[in-house]
Amino acid sequence: MPEQSRKSEADPISGTQPQALRWAGLSAASDTEMDRFARLVSRVLSVPVAFVSLVGKNQQILPGLFGLPEPWAGSRALPLSHPLCRYVVSSGQPVVVPDARVDGRLRTNPAIEDLGVVAYAGMPLTDGDGLVLGSLCAVDHEPRAWSEGELCDLEDLAAACSAELRLRVLSAQSRAAQKVLETARAAAERARNDAQRLEREAQAGLDHAELLLRASEELAQTSGLEDVRRRLRDLFVGVGKPTYVGLLVADEDELHRVPDPDIAHAVEREVLTLPADAAFPSTQAMRERRTVFVADREAMVADYSPEAVGFFDRMGMATVLCLPLWGSRALLGVLAICWAKRHEVGVTERATLTAASGYIAQAVERALYLDERISVARELQAAMLTDLPLSDHVEISALYQPAADDHMIGGDWYDAYHLPGAPVSDGETSALMVTVGDITGHDMHAATIMGQVRSMLRQATLDHPPYSPATALTALDAACSVLPMETSGTLVHARLDPVHGSHDWTLTWSNAGHPPPLLRTPDGHVTQLLEHDVLLHRSLGPFDRTEHRRPLPPGSTLLMYTDGLVERRGHGMDAAVAQLVALLARHGNRPLDEVLRRIGNRLAEPAPEDDVVLLAVRTPSTPQPQRW
């Protein structure tokens, strides 16, 4: 006997059969297919009773039956003491009994009296693994010798019934497996979504930390509002990167937009100033001193003016967050952060942006302070630049170009004035003093020293007739060596005198370490006036300056300049001076204003790193004879 059969005899009903019945969807209730098999058995074998008996947990169930009386027909179940099919289950083989009443195994079975079982034939019903689930039974109330054909028909019907059971079990198992697979897929999808969410949250957290780090580092280096605005453009990166970041600065009852200095936003420049009562999110943040969040266009339409809606539509923005920028004493302005698509700003992101706005506010406050100082310094420096003297004889022009960096202020200057005394003769003018200098440094202190040196040099010149440039510079050296002034720099101090009875002039100059002036004669020849002494510095003490003299033919042009014109990082100074000489030779016969513009535009590109001063003087040309 197979191992399974031996086990079944000892324990004919295991937990496996009930599980298989659950897979097959059978219970102590009528089943259409199982009832059909019972009717087929009754009709084919001509028996009064037939049924499908399956092993349950504490009973045998009859999902298919024909001919059983009540109460069995109603309950569709038999106690384990009644069914003869337990012998089929325990042996795994057909059980065929002509007369149960005389059979040694069955004669005491209660089913003989309760069910009227006399003749019995039962074929095993198995699942796909060969496990016996029950039997297909034929019962006669009279003794009966079962023919071979009848048993073959019953066996065939049992095989068909087993196939139906197997199909049901497989279908149920397939559905269960599909459900398990779907559950696993759903769990995997949830896990993947959770992992992606956690990854996004982790990346967002990293981006937020990097934002604060960049804000603390990048904005600490800013030098003005334009620089702050420029750095804002690339400050926000990573998850949730805004499409546009705008900076608006408060001024009494207005907000002034700081436009991007490098990228032209045409719409941005349409609204450069907003009154405080304008129905814009930014002005609301200014008025109410709080963060204002506009989730989408519908909220914009509901709460703000048509002008605001139109502005953000033209900018292509959907979500807007406006953060007030607080300085140490007052509200400085508003930071507008915008997204082109709807963007949910969570608690963590809002906290990060608020913290970043604190760094931005510090940079704005510092920039406003520096811009104010630079503006004052520029005004001071402009005020110190001399108004050129008017003359009907000598042509004179000057050009001042500030450094590209607004912080580079202070040291470069020029001066020009007529010396006292009557004209030499009718139609002639008095002598002219001209100076170009560069005080070391690029700050307010340098501008202050420059103003003092200019005034002291004027005084030294006018106090020492006959107004020698060298004598004036020597007196300036002496004063600087004893006064508490950190004087350092270079300059050229020159005097132009008309020659009595001639159209010629005389140039006398003294050079304190300054780049050599250029002299262009009417024939286009340009000469560098290379003679010079040491630079101006208080530590050098009093120094006897030398001066040099050169005649100037009528129509000669003297050009003096500061080193910012010819000194460039990465470029040789000699090459720049050679280019300057060529420009003066080629264009020196043009009006002086045009000459200086051409030189400044050609040599000051790109924008100079230092201030640049140009001063040009042209002596009168020989009068042309009148034609009658």
Side-chain angles (χ1 to χ4, degrees):
M1 181 180 293
E3 180 67 26
Q4 176 187 344
S5 297
R6 290 198 301 270
K7 180 179 179 181
S8 297
E9 286 183 1
D11 183 15
I13 301 175
S14 67
T16 307
Q17 286 96 341
Q19 176 63 30
L21 297 186
R22 287 193 295 273
W23 286 120
L26 296 173
S27 61
S30 174
D31 182 87
T32 302
E33 294 300 323
M34 297 299 105
D35 281 342
R36 181 177 291 116
F37 279 109
R39 289 195 300 273
L40 282 173
V41 170
S42 174
R43 186 164 58 250
V44 171
L45 272 67
S46 299
V47 293
V49 177
F51 50 84
V52 176
S53 176
L54 300 174
V55 178
K57 186 174 182 180
N58 298 312
Q59 58 183 355
Q60 291 199 11
I61 60 173
L62 308 174
L65 63 80
F66 178 82
L68 276 179
E70 295 293 347
W72 320 114
S75 66
R76 296 262 177 169
L78 295 173
L80 294 178
S81 60
H82 283 60
L84 303 181
C85 71
R86 66 178 180 174
Y87 296 104
V88 178
V89 173
S90 62
S91 65
Q93 300 295 324
V95 173
V96 179
V97 180
D99 188 346
R101 294 170 300 182
V102 297
D103 188 274
R105 295 172 300 171
L106 307 178
R107 61 175 179 239
T108 60
N109 194 294
I112 296 174
E113 181 178 351
D114 294 342
L115 303 180
V117 176
V118 175
Y120 173 82
M123 296 293 173
L125 299 175
T126 59
D127 65 3
D129 296 326
L131 177 67
V132 179
L133 305 179
S135 62
L136 180 63
C137 306
V139 175
D140 199 337
H141 300 314
E142 301 293 335
R144 182 170 182 160
W146 302 96
S147 69
E148 184 176 351
E150 290 175 332
L151 295 178
C152 286
D153 290 340
L154 183 59
E155 185 178 8
D156 289 342
L157 290 172
C161 186
S162 293
E164 173 67 19
L165 291 173
R166 293 168 187 167
L167 180 61
R168 291 192 183 193
V169 170
L170 288 175
S171 297
Q173 289 177 337
S174 176
R175 289 192 300 272
Q178 183 65 30
K179 186 174 181 180
V180 170
L181 179 61
E182 290 175 356
T183 301
R185 285 175 177 172
E189 183 66 22
R190 287 194 300 272
R192 182 166 54 253
N193 292 338
D194 289 343
Q196 292 174 348
R197 175 180 55 80
L198 292 174
E199 182 179 3
R200 287 193 301 269
E201 291 176 354
Q203 185 60 51
L206 179 61
D207 290 340
H208 294 160
E210 289 181 352
L211 169 61
L212 296 180
L213 179 60
R214 284 196 307 275
S216 64
E217 293 178 345
E218 288 290 325
L219 296 174
Q221 308 300 321
T222 54
S223 57
L225 281 178
E226 280 195 355
D227 192 18
V228 174
R229 178 66 181 84
R230 180 180 291 108
R231 292 175 189 255
L232 285 181
R233 188 195 318 131
D234 301 321
L235 185 63
F236 299 84
V237 297
V239 177
K241 177 182 179 180
T243 309
Y244 169 80
V245 180
L247 177 62
L248 300 98
V249 177
D251 181 15
E252 295 183 355
D253 294 329
E254 292 181 331
L255 276 178
H256 298 284
R257 190 180 307 279
V258 181
D260 193 312
D262 303 319
I263 300 177
H265 295 278
V267 178
E268 180 184 50
R269 295 181 180 272
E270 289 180 10
V271 186
L272 288 177
T273 301
L274 287 170
D277 58 356
F280 274 67
S282 53
T283 52
Q284 182 184 7
M286 175 187 178
R287 289 191 307 270
E288 300 179 6
R289 304 298 200 260
R290 67 176 181 86
T291 299
V292 173
F293 178 67
V294 183
D296 49 33
R297 189 178 187 277
E298 288 72 17
M300 181 72 71
V301 171
D303 298 331
Y304 300 97
S305 66
E307 291 78 12
V309 175
F311 175 77
F312 285 102
D313 281 348
R314 292 192 299 278
M315 288 286 286
M317 302 305 167
T319 299
V320 180
L321 180 70
C322 292
L323 298 159
L325 298 176
W326 287 100
S328 57
R329 294 186 299 273
L331 181 70
L332 303 174
V334 174
L335 181 71
I337 304 175
C338 309
W339 291 267
K341 297 181 180 179
R342 182 185 174 92
H343 180 73
E344 296 295 334
V345 181
V347 175
T348 302
E349 184 176 11
R350 181 173 296 203
T352 302
L353 295 176
T354 300
S357 71
Y359 290 109
I360 296 169
Q362 292 176 11
V364 168
E365 187 168 38
R366 183 172 58 254
L368 290 172
Y369 173 71
L370 291 176
D371 286 348
E372 182 180 1
R373 288 194 63 190
I374 290 168
S375 176
V376 170
R378 290 293 184 207
E379 292 178 6
L380 173 62
Q381 190 167 41
M384 289 182 177
L385 296 176
T386 305
D387 291 333
L388 297 177
L390 299 177
S391 174
D392 294 333
H393 304 278
V394 176
E395 185 181 354
I396 183 169
S397 181
L399 175 67
Y400 172 74
Q401 289 181 306
D405 187 346
D406 285 337
H407 286 89
M408 305 288 283
I409 60 175
D412 291 20
W413 55 285
Y414 64 83
D415 199 3
Y417 49 91
H418 286 294
L419 292 172
V424 174
S425 64
D426 292 340
E428 294 182 346
T429 187
S430 61
L432 179 70
M433 295 299 300
V434 291
T435 312
V436 167
D438 183 2
I439 295 300
T440 304
H442 303 95
D443 53 20
M444 190 76 75
H445 179 68
T448 303
I449 297 297
M450 178 267 285
Q452 293 174 336
V453 168
R454 187 187 70 164
S455 298
M456 291 167 62
L457 182 59
R458 277 188 171 190
Q459 186 68 39
T461 301
L462 296 174
D463 280 352
H464 294 83
Y467 315 117
S468 161
T471 300
L473 277 180
T474 300
L476 178 64
D477 275 330
C480 291
S481 66
V482 297
L483 293 175
M485 294 173 53
E486 297 178 5
T487 308
S488 175
T490 65
L491 62 89
V492 174
H493 193 43
R495 190 182 78 220
L496 287 86
D497 295 283
V499 177
H500 177 63
S502 169
H503 295 291
D504 292 343
W505 285 62
T506 300
L507 171 66
T508 306
W509 79 96
S510 183
N511 188 331
H514 199 77
L518 302 182
L519 179 62
R520 182 188 188 275
T521 52
D523 60 3
H525 180 71
V526 177
T527 303
Q528 296 187 53
L529 306 181
L530 299 172
E531 297 84 354
H532 66 87
D533 297 326
V534 297
L535 57 80
L536 182 69
H537 197 286
R538 69 186 303 269
S539 66
L540 298 177
F543 184 84
D544 290 332
R545 298 286 175 176
T546 61
E547 64 184 23
H548 312 277
R549 187 172 289 105
R550 183 172 293 231
L552 301 181
S556 296
T557 300
L558 174 68
L559 177 67
M560 299 190 296
Y561 55 93
T562 56
D563 58 6
L565 183 68
V566 292
E567 286 188 350
R568 292 287 185 276
R569 187 178 302 173
H571 296 78
M573 184 172 175
D574 291 342
V577 172
Q579 186 181 4
L580 175 59
V581 169
L583 287 171
L584 182 60
R586 181 177 181 183
H587 303 291
N589 60 339
R590 297 177 182 271
L592 289 186
D593 288 347
E594 182 180 345
V595 173
L596 297 188
R597 282 197 304 272
R598 284 176 178 268
I599 292 174
N601 291 340
R602 192 70 60 85
L603 291 181
E605 292 180 354
E609 300 175 1
D610 195 358
D611 288 6
V612 173
V613 159
L614 290 165
L615 179 68
V617 181
R618 180 178 293 154
T619 62
S621 301
T622 304
Q624 297 295 321
Q626 295 182 352
R627 296 181 180 179
W628 298 95

